Amino acid sequence: MKISNVRLHAVGIPRHTGFVNKHVIVKLETDEGVTGIGEMSDFSHLPKYSIDLIDLSRTLNTLLVGRNPFDIEDINRELLDNFPEAMYYYEKGSFIRNGIDNALYDLCGKILGVSAAELLGGRVRSRMKVCYPIFRQRFMEEVESNMETVRERYGQGFDVFRLYVGKNTEADIELLKRIKSEFGSKVTIKSFDFSHLLDWKETLRTFKALVPYEVGLEMVESPAPRNDFEGLYNFRTRIDYPVSEHVWSSMQQSEMLKKDAVDIFNISPIFIGGLTAARKASALAENGRKSIVIGTTQELSIGTAAMAHLGCALPHLKFTSDPTGPELYIGDVVKNGVQYEDGYLIAPDRNIAGLGVELDEELLEEYKVSDLGWGEVTVHQLQDRTSTK
C-alpha cells in the first residue's frame, strides 16, 4: 500500500466568543482506497504570517506520494527536515507535521483495524480529566461574563477551570473571590496560566497576590518568557506549587530537564509536531521523573480525538489536562465528535479503527475558506481569542 494523494482543506470555524479559527483538514489517500484524516489546528495565531496552501499541498505531495504509510518514523524525520523545530510553540511547521502524523495514525489504524491508542502502546485509561479555559481578563467588566461561563460550563459537567492571568490582577482576584463564594469547593481552578507575558520576578509578585484566593490550584503555567530556563528555575524554587511549561522542541525540553526548570511538561501534539513526537517527549519526561499534562491550542474533534488516544495511553498522566477545544466552537467537520462527560474527555470507542471520528463532507464544504489569513485581527485578539478589539 502506498500514499497516492495528499489533500488539504482549509476551514474557518467561529468560537462562541466570535473569533474565527482557521484549521486545515488533511486527507491521506492510498492506492487501495483507504483514506486517513488529520488536522493542522489553529493557524489563526501568532506569529502573524500565513501559509500558502497551494504551495504546501505541492510540497507534501512531493514528499509523501509513493511512501508506505507505515513508515511513520521515517516520514516524520523527513517532515522535520522540511519543517524544522524553531523553539517557538506556535511555530506553524509543527502544525503541519502534526496534521500529517494524525492522518498517518488514522490511516494505519484503519488498515490494521485497530484504534490509534493501540498503535501508541495501548490504553491505560478510557477517559482523562480536562479543564475549561477562562480567557484573560483585561477589564473589570469581563468578570461577570466569565462568571456566566463558569455557571454554564459547570451545568454541563465541567468543574475544573484554567485561568489565564497576567493583565489585570484586580479583575482576576475578583473572579476568584466570586467563584469561591458561589461554588465553594465544587469548582476548582486547575492553574494560573501566565502565557510567558511577564518576567519571572513580576510573575512571582502577581502570583503572591493571587494565591490567597486560589481554589484547588494544581499548578502555575508558563511563568517566564519563552525559553527563559533560568527564569523558570528561579520561579519554581520560590513557590510551593508545581510549575508547568509547554514542550515545543526536543532541544527546549532537554534544556528544561538540564536546568530542572519545571515539574510538569505540558505536551500537545500540535506544538511538538504530532503523536510520534509527543510520545517521545512523554517518554523523556517519564525518564526524567517529571509529570505531564496534555495541552491544547483548542483543536477541533479530529485533533482532539488524537490527543484523547495519546492521553489514554500514557501511564504517568497525573494532572488535569486541557483538550476542550470542540466545546469552544459553534461547529465542527465530523459526524461523530468527541464526547465529554462529568468533566472528562472520553476516548473514542476502541472498536473503531484509527482516530475514531468520521469526516463530514457537507460540513467541510460549509466551513470552507479560501486561505489562512486573518486581515486586521489585532495581537490582543490573537492572544485573548476574542473578536472584540
Side-chain angles (χ1 to χ4, degrees):
M1 179 176 288
K2 304 293 183 184
I3 296 171
S4 60
N5 197 12
V6 182
R7 297 188 188 274
L8 305 180
H9 302 265
V11 295
I13 302 184
R15 294 190 180 197
H16 292 293
T17 63
F19 187 89
V20 177
N21 283 79
K22 293 185 177 179
H23 315 264
V24 174
I25 306 305
V26 179
K27 294 178 185 175
L28 287 186
E29 299 175 350
T30 65
D31 57 0
E32 295 187 16
V34 184
T35 298
I37 60 172
E39 178 184 315
M40 300 175 184
S41 313
D42 196 8
F43 277 100
S44 303
H45 217 306
L46 296 170
K48 200 175 180 184
Y49 60 79
S50 61
I51 300 295
D52 183 320
L53 204 59
I54 294 175
D55 182 65
L56 179 60
S57 177
R58 289 171 177 164
T59 298
L60 291 173
N61 273 282
T62 300
L63 293 175
L64 299 177
V65 169
R67 301 295 299 269
N68 184 329
F70 284 96
D71 291 340
I72 294 176
E73 184 65 37
D74 195 44
I75 289 173
N76 269 275
R77 281 200 297 267
E78 188 160 1
L79 289 171
L80 192 59
D81 285 341
N82 285 273
F83 306 100
E85 294 179 336
M87 294 287 282
Y88 181 67
Y89 76 127
Y90 289 121
E91 169 52 43
K92 291 175 170 61
S94 297
F95 298 7
I96 293 166
R97 299 197 311 274
N98 176 66
I100 297 299
D101 200 44
N102 281 179
L104 287 170
Y105 277 86
D106 187 54
L107 177 57
C108 293
K110 287 174 177 174
I111 295 167
L112 295 175
V114 300
S115 76
E118 315 310 318
L119 299 177
L120 291 164
R123 288 187 183 179
V124 295
R125 64 182 66 83
S126 61
R127 62 180 189 168
M128 64 176 173
K129 188 68 174 176
V130 293
C131 61
Y132 194 88
I134 303 174
F135 292 104
R136 189 165 286 107
Q137 302 178 128
R138 296 177 184 269
F139 308 101
M140 187 63 74
E141 293 76 17
E142 294 173 297
V143 172
E144 180 54 39
S145 63
N146 280 327
M147 281 300 300
E148 285 298 324
T149 297
V150 174
R151 293 183 190 112
E152 177 185 358
R153 296 301 176 174
Y154 178 74
Q156 296 171 349
F158 293 98
D159 57 357
V160 183
F161 294 82
R162 174 165 54 116
L163 179 60
Y164 287 87
V165 297
K167 282 297 182 181
N168 189 326
T169 302
E170 183 181 358
D172 294 336
I173 290 173
E174 179 63 21
L175 179 63
L176 289 168
K177 285 181 176 179
R178 290 186 60 179
I179 290 173
K180 191 168 188 176
S181 174
E182 184 169 334
F183 294 96
S185 61
K186 293 184 293 185
V187 163
T188 60
I189 301 297
K190 166 211 159 183
S191 63
F192 297 152
D193 189 340
F194 286 90
S195 304
H196 318 106
L197 292 178
L198 309 175
D199 66 54
W200 74 266
K201 291 182 180 179
E202 190 173 358
T203 298
L204 186 61
R205 289 192 291 270
T206 303
F207 171 76
K208 287 180 177 179
L210 294 175
V211 75
Y213 309 98
E214 64 97 348
V215 279
L217 191 69
E218 295 183 35
M219 67 191 74
V220 181
E221 298 190 71
S222 304
R226 288 182 293 272
N227 300 318
D228 180 6
F229 310 117
E230 293 286 351
L232 281 171
Y233 176 80
N234 286 328
F235 181 87
R236 175 177 177 256
T237 55
R238 286 165 170 81
I239 70 168
D240 294 326
Y241 293 81
V243 170
S244 170
E245 182 57 283
H246 300 77
V247 177
W248 51 75
S249 80
S250 54
M251 179 182 293
Q252 174 241 9
Q253 186 181 18
S254 295
E255 286 300 313
M256 288 192 287
L257 280 169
K258 288 177 187 177
K259 300 290 186 181
D260 199 19
V262 300
D263 303 283
I264 304 165
F265 285 118
N266 185 312
I267 296 173
S268 178
I270 188 68
F271 296 140
I272 197 67
L275 291 169
T276 299
R279 194 71 179 87
K280 292 178 181 179
S282 173
L284 187 59
E286 186 174 22
N287 289 339
R289 299 179 182 271
K290 300 295 184 182
S291 298
I292 63 168
V293 297
I294 303 299
T296 185
T297 187
Q298 310 306 348
E299 293 80 353
L300 301 174
S301 278
I302 298 171
T304 305
M307 290 188 291
H309 285 290
L310 175 68
C312 288
L314 298 179
H316 55 302
L317 177 64
K318 305 296 184 184
F319 291 89
T320 303
S321 290
D322 300 334
T324 51
E327 294 293 308
L328 274 66
Y329 295 100
I330 67 167
D332 212 314
V333 294
V334 297
K335 295 179 180 179
N336 56 329
V338 295
Q339 299 298 310
Y340 296 89
E341 182 179 307
D342 297 328
Y344 286 84
L345 171 59
I346 308 301
D349 189 334
R350 71 187 306 166
N351 295 315
I352 301 177
L355 295 179
V357 290
E358 182 182 356
L359 195 62
D360 188 316
E361 295 292 342
E362 292 184 1
L363 290 173
L364 194 63
E365 180 64 25
E366 177 181 343
Y367 290 113
K368 181 177 67 175
V369 293
S370 59
D371 60 53
L372 299 175
W374 47 76
E376 298 180 356
V377 174
T378 67
V379 170
H380 286 171
Q381 287 172 274
L382 294 174
Q383 291 175 335
D384 297 347
R385 322 308 276 158
T386 174
S387 61
T388 304
K389 292 187 178 182

